[in-house]
Amino acid sequence: MAESVVYTFSVELATGSFTDLTTKVERASWGQTLVDMFNPPQVGRAMFELANDDGLFSPRVNSSFQPGRNVKLTATPSGGVSYPLFRGRITDVSLASQLGQRTTLVEAVDDWDRLTDVKFTTRLYSGTVVTSIFTELMSIAAVQSFQTDAITDTCGYAWYTRMDALQALHEMTLIGNYQMVVDGNGTYALRTRNWSAFNASSTPNIDVRSWATHFRSNLSRDTVYNRIKLVSDQRGMATDLCTVAMLPANYSVSLPASSSYGFWFDFRDPTVTAETDVPVGSYVSPVASGDWYTAANSDGTGTDMTSGTTLAFTAYAASAVATFTNNTASPAFITRAQLRGYPLRRVAPIYTQIDISSSQTRFGLRVFEINNRLLQVNAYVQSLATHIASDRKDGMHTAVSGLRNVWPTVLENQVGNVIYVVDPFSGTATTWRIRGTQHELTLTEGLVHDAVYDLDTPQGAYGWGEPIIPSGDKALLHFDGADASTTFTDLYGNTWTPTAAELDTAQFKFGTAAMKMTTTSGHIECTGLTLPTTAWTIEFFMRWPSIDAFSYDQLEVGVSVGAIYLRSSATA
C-alpha cells in the first residue's frame, strides 16, 4: 500500500446526524456513469456488507436502520484531503442470520434516484440562458445541492408538461452537447461541452506497464455512425388571438356551496386539432361572464351565479390549473370556461442529414437520429451534426482498465475526467475520458481497493497513440462577452493583449460575440504561449466585412520570439 488511507462509512440514523459504522464494514461497492447526448441518466448503485453479530443492523431490532436513510462513503489519505466517494440513500436491507455468517447487506442508490418519480411542468422559457432553466428544474425537484459551469448559451423556447425529470435533463444535454454528473457529495452538475478536456492532468494517471491490473481497448462497429439526422420542430408566435383551452360543449362541472374545485386545462391550437402540448406565448386574463360562467343549473339556465364565484388561474407553458370557488350558500355549475391566448405554432422544422459515404461503404449504414425540440439554432444544429459525423464515422475507441491500491489515483479519477494512460508497447501516453466507474472495497483481509474504469475517446480529439500535449501549450478562445469589451478569455489561462481589437455582438457564429478588428493593424497577442517545435495547427471561423473582385483580405498568423498574434489586413 502506497500510503495510509482511512475510509469512513456513515449512516444518517437520526435526521441531520450521521453515525460512523466503518468498523462494521466488510465489503463495499459503488459506481457512477456520465450523462451526455449518447448516455441518458442512470441511477448509481452501491452495496455495503456489514458484520451483524450483535443484530444491531436488523430493522426489527433497530428501527433507525431502515430503507430511506441517507448514507455516505469518504476516503482520506495521509495527506489530509478528503474524497467523497458515494452519497445516497438505502433502498434494501437484507440479513444473513446463520451462525458465523451474520451479516447485513445494505443496498443504496445515488441521488439520480431522487428524480425517477419527478415530473416537470413549467412555465414557457423564451430566450432563457440554459443554466437558468437547469437551476429552475433543480428547484422544482427540490434538489438541495447543484451547480453549473459558466454556460452562456440561450434556448429560444423550452417548456415541460408532466415530463419525466430524467428525460428532461437528458434532453437538455443536447442543447449544447453538455455533460451531467452527480458527484460523491450528491451534487448535481451541468458541465460545459468542453469540461472533460479541462479536467486533464499532464501526468499519467494509469501506467499499464506497472500499475494497472488490466487494460483492454476496443474498437467496435457498434460505435460507428455514418448517417446523422437531426430534426427540431420550430415554433413562432401566432398573431391571431385563439381559444387555446375550453370545457367541452354541453359539459358542466358541479361546484357545491362554499367549496372549491380545480382542474387542468391542456392547451391546443384550434388550427391544428390533433396537436397536444401546445405552448402559449401570452394569455388574456379570463373575463367573468365572457370567458367563464356559472349558473344554478347544469345546462346554464337558472340564476347567474358568476358574481358569487371567483377564479384563481395558474398558467404554465402548455397547460393551466383553474380553481373555481363558490362563495355562496347555494350549489352552482361551471358551464363555460375557456382561455384565450397566442399559441406558438409549428413552422418549418430544422432538418439536417449528413452522410459519410466512405464509412457507409465500409461498415454499412449506421444511423444516429435525434428529434429534439430544444435544438433551435440552425448553425448549431449543422455544426453538431458535422461534429458527430466526424467523431463517429470510423467508430470510437473504448477501453476498460483497472487499478488496485494505487492511492490517491483510485480516489482522484472521477467520472468525466480525462486521464492519461501509458501504452505498454510504445510507452506513449494517450488520452481517455472516464464515462463510468465501478469500485470494490474489501476490508476483511487487509485493505483492498479495486477501481475499474469504463473509458472512451469522444470529441474527435482522443485516440490510442496520441501523445500528451504539454500543459500550457494550447489555447481556446470563444470570444464571448459584452459588446466592445477588450477582455479576451482563454479557457487555458493564457493572457491575450488586444490592439485595435474588441468583442462585437453584431456578428458571431457561436456563443454571444466574436472578435472584431477595428483597424487594418488590429490584432491580439499572447506573449506567454510556448509553441511546439513540431507541427501545430490553428483553427478558427472568420467573416470578411466585404470581398470584391479587385481586392482581398487576409488573416495573418504571426509567430515571433515568445509570441503569437492574429491580424487582418482589413477590419472584420
Side-chain angles (χ1 to χ4, degrees):
M1 186 166 66
E3 59 180 289
S4 174
V5 181
V6 176
Y7 290 81
T8 304
F9 172 68
S10 304
V11 179
E12 190 180 22
L13 298 180
T15 303
S17 177
F18 281 84
T19 301
D20 186 349
L21 302 179
T22 307
T23 58
K24 298 293 186 178
V25 177
E26 295 186 349
R27 296 175 184 83
S29 64
W30 65 97
Q32 291 177 311
T33 56
L34 182 71
V35 179
D36 60 17
M37 73 168 72
F38 299 102
N39 303 288
Q42 298 182 38
V43 176
R45 301 187 180 276
M47 181 277 294
F48 304 93
E49 187 174 358
L50 310 179
N52 193 33
D53 294 333
D54 49 13
L56 291 178
F57 304 128
S58 168
R60 292 189 175 185
V61 175
N62 185 352
S63 60
S64 298
F65 198 84
Q66 294 182 354
R69 295 294 187 182
N70 293 322
V71 299
K72 61 182 180 180
L73 177 68
T74 62
T76 306
S78 56
V81 177
S82 182
Y83 293 88
L85 303 178
F86 181 86
R87 187 182 180 101
R89 55 181 171 174
I90 298 174
T91 56
D92 296 90
V93 179
S94 58
L95 307 178
S97 302
Q98 60 269 36
L99 188 63
Q101 298 182 21
R102 292 177 177 171
T103 58
T104 296
L105 186 64
V106 177
E107 297 179 60
V109 291
D110 69 11
D111 279 356
W112 280 120
D113 180 72
R114 295 184 184 273
L115 299 183
T116 54
D117 296 322
V118 174
K119 293 184 182 297
F120 290 139
T121 296
T122 70
R123 63 183 177 91
L124 178 67
Y125 304 102
S126 178
T128 307
V129 177
V130 171
T131 53
S132 297
I133 301 176
F134 178 77
T135 297
E136 191 161 324
L137 295 182
M138 291 291 98
S139 299
I140 293 172
V143 172
Q144 298 298 314
S145 180
F146 59 89
Q147 64 184 42
T148 69
D149 285 348
I151 298 170
T152 59
D153 301 339
T154 60
C155 186
Y157 291 113
W159 71 95
Y160 303 93
T161 304
R162 295 185 288 279
M163 179 180 285
D164 291 337
L166 295 183
Q167 177 187 351
L169 291 174
H170 187 223
E171 183 183 66
M172 181 176 288
T173 63
L174 283 162
I175 301 176
N177 192 10
Y178 307 129
Q179 303 172 74
M180 290 187 189
V181 294
V182 173
D183 65 19
N185 270 325
T187 298
Y188 293 77
L190 175 66
R191 301 299 192 184
T192 178
R193 49 188 159 269
N194 299 312
W195 172 62
S196 292
F198 302 144
N199 279 329
S201 166
S202 61
T203 58
N205 304 85
I206 298 177
D207 190 335
V208 180
R209 299 170 298 182
S210 55
W211 302 349
T213 56
H214 62 277
F215 186 93
R216 178 177 293 275
S217 60
N218 183 50
L219 182 60
S220 170
R221 176 178 176 269
D222 291 340
T223 64
V224 173
Y225 296 118
N226 47 40
R227 170 172 289 172
I228 313 302
K229 297 172 66 175
L230 302 185
V231 183
S232 178
D233 288 331
Q234 300 298 288
R235 292 184 180 265
M237 183 88 71
T239 57
D240 52 320
L241 184 63
C242 303
T243 299
V244 296
M246 64 183 301
L247 284 180
N250 302 318
Y251 183 85
S252 62
V253 177
S254 176
L255 192 60
S258 302
S259 66
S260 297
Y261 186 84
F263 51 87
W264 282 91
F265 276 132
D266 286 331
F267 299 155
R268 294 176 178 269
D269 183 347
T271 65
V272 188
T273 56
E275 185 181 10
T276 59
D277 192 28
V278 177
V280 173
S282 64
Y283 311 89
V284 174
S285 296
V287 178
S289 298
D291 292 313
W292 60 275
Y293 182 84
T294 58
N297 300 323
S298 61
D299 62 357
T301 63
T303 304
D304 182 348
M305 305 288 287
T306 307
S307 62
T309 308
T310 55
L311 168 62
F313 186 80
T314 303
Y316 297 93
S319 59
V321 177
T323 303
F324 290 85
T325 300
N326 184 351
N327 300 304
T328 73
S330 302
F333 290 89
I334 307 167
T335 60
R336 183 192 313 143
Q338 69 177 21
L339 177 68
R340 294 172 296 149
Y342 298 88
L344 295 178
R345 289 176 174 157
R346 283 194 170 97
V347 295
I350 293 177
Y351 180 87
T352 296
Q353 177 173 315
I354 294 180
D355 285 280
I356 308 297
S357 58
S358 59
S359 177
Q360 292 174 5
T361 299
R362 181 180 175 188
F363 298 106
L365 184 62
R366 305 282 300 170
V367 180
F368 179 76
E369 182 172 358
I370 295 175
N371 192 329
N372 187 315
R373 64 208 174 113
L374 303 184
L375 295 174
Q376 295 163 6
V377 179
N378 187 64
Y380 170 70
V381 174
Q382 297 282 343
S383 177
L384 179 61
T386 301
H387 164 76
I388 296 172
S390 175
D391 200 45
R392 291 299 192 96
K393 61 184 175 62
D394 296 315
M396 180 177 67
H397 291 270
T398 61
V400 176
S401 182
L403 295 177
R404 169 173 288 186
N405 289 2
V406 181
W407 291 290
T409 304
V410 291
L411 308 176
E412 293 174 335
N413 289 346
Q414 299 293 317
V415 165
N417 284 5
V418 168
I419 64 173
Y420 292 92
V421 180
V422 178
D423 182 346
F425 301 106
S426 67
T428 302
T430 57
T431 40
W432 299 82
R433 180 185 68 168
I434 301 176
R435 67 180 181 184
T437 62
Q438 186 62 42
H439 295 264
E440 301 282 343
L441 184 66
T442 304
L443 301 171
T444 52
E445 298 178 1
L447 174 60
V448 178
H449 185 158
D450 287 305
V452 177
Y453 304 105
D454 185 14
L455 308 173
D456 67 11
T457 56
Q459 313 303 327
Y462 312 127
W464 191 258
E466 179 184 344
I468 292 176
I469 301 174
S471 177
D473 286 3
K474 47 194 172 182
L476 180 60
L477 294 89
H478 289 315
F479 297 125
D480 286 337
D483 191 42
S485 171
T486 56
T487 299
F488 297 90
T489 302
D490 187 334
L491 295 184
Y492 284 94
N494 301 303
T495 299
W496 292 80
T497 302
T499 299
E502 62 184 32
L503 296 180
D504 179 36
T505 58
Q507 299 288 346
F508 55 88
K509 184 172 179 62
F510 302 111
T512 61
M515 179 177 68
K516 177 181 180 180
M517 300 171 190
T518 56
T519 71
T520 56
S521 61
H523 67 278
I524 61 173
E525 182 175 345
C526 177
T527 59
L529 189 63
T530 303
L531 297 175
T533 56
T534 56
W536 54 277
T537 302
I538 181 169
E539 298 179 332
F540 51 88
F541 291 95
M542 188 170 203
R543 176 185 180 274
W544 301 116
S546 62
I547 297 178
D548 56 43
F550 304 102
S551 64
Y552 65 92
D553 298 321
Q554 66 182 17
L555 179 73
E556 182 179 345
V557 180
V559 180
S560 59
V561 179
I564 179 172
Y565 59 89
L566 308 178
R567 182 170 63 198
S568 172
S569 62
T571 60

